[in-house]
Amino acid sequence: MLEKICSTQFYIFSQDVLHKESECINDFTHAYKLEIEKAMEHKYGANSISDETCINRIKSLIDTAIKFDFLKVNHNSFLNLKFPCNHESEKNCGIFVQYNFARLSNIFKNFEIKVKEGYYNPLQPLHEVDFTLLKLEEEWNLFHFVISFPLLVQNIFESLFSF
């Protein structure tokens, strides 16, 4: 996400496009820019969005959020360009995924640092974990979701490249 951003972006898609609230892709990308700038101002302060590093991060977030929006639509469906919104019921998927990826990456990085400092013990091998400590149905549901995730990713990868 922090790689150097190309100054010109091209979005190529094969879907029919519906847009009610915007006249063009520039309005669509501008709406993302405003949403991301607002979030960054909230987190880092009003002057932070003028920093060159922050400007590049904003461009990267816009680019990947739009790609996510385009790729989540079935190629046989209409691509509905609607502005990102901040309502609880309609989270922006691309930005939401990126935010959670960044949070999880930070948690894992900090955990590894604390293990090296001796603050935490390293994770046990899976065969040594005491699963009898999982008592609630929600704990087991979460465990099944986490344990099946690598297989899900592998299946998706194989289906994408099986043609």
Side-chain angles (χ1 to χ4, degrees):
M1 183 170 82
L2 301 178
E3 295 176 10
K4 181 90 172 128
I5 305 297
C6 179
S7 63
T8 303
Q9 298 290 325
F10 295 97
Y11 301 101
I12 300 171
F13 46 94
S14 63
Q15 289 100 335
D16 291 325
V17 179
L18 296 175
H19 51 84
K20 296 177 184 173
E21 300 175 25
S22 66
E23 291 299 317
C24 67
I25 191 68
N26 292 334
D27 294 336
F28 186 64
T29 56
H30 185 69
Y32 270 108
K33 181 178 187 235
L34 294 176
E35 181 182 5
I36 293 168
E37 284 177 347
K38 181 179 175 185
M40 292 190 102
E41 283 179 353
H42 177 73
K43 181 159 178 84
Y44 300 113
N47 296 330
S48 65
I49 64 167
S50 60
D51 176 68
E52 186 65 30
T53 303
C54 187
I55 290 169
N56 287 334
R57 285 183 183 157
I58 291 171
K59 288 178 184 177
S60 179
L61 287 168
I62 292 167
D63 181 56
T64 53
I66 289 173
K67 286 176 185 174
F68 193 93
D69 277 352
F70 285 8
L71 292 172
K72 74 180 181 181
V73 177
N74 184 316
H75 71 282
N76 293 326
S77 300
F78 284 96
L79 178 62
N80 189 359
L81 296 182
K82 59 182 181 177
F83 288 120
C85 63
N86 292 323
H87 306 296
E88 282 299 312
S89 62
E90 293 188 42
K91 290 286 186 189
N92 180 291
C93 292
I95 293 172
F96 179 75
V97 168
Q98 291 177 83
Y99 172 75
N100 282 296
F101 176 78
R103 286 188 63 200
L104 288 170
S105 296
N106 196 37
I107 289 170
F108 292 137
K109 182 179 92 176
N110 287 333
F111 175 77
E112 291 299 323
I113 290 169
K114 294 294 185 183
V115 167
K116 289 178 183 173
E117 292 173 353
Y119 189 80
Y120 295 131
N121 293 326
L123 293 177
Q124 297 176 325
L126 193 57
H127 66 275
E128 293 180 19
V129 174
D130 182 8
F131 291 108
T132 62
L133 298 172
L134 299 177
K135 303 287 185 197
L136 302 175
E137 182 178 347
E138 294 84 5
E139 294 170 330
W140 280 105
N141 290 338
L142 180 60
F143 172 73
H144 286 293
F145 177 76
V146 169
I147 203 75
S148 66
F149 184 73
L151 183 60
L152 173 68
V153 171
Q154 181 181 353
N155 289 341
I156 291 170
F157 182 77
E158 288 172 358
S159 71
L160 288 173
F161 295 101
S162 65
F163 49 93

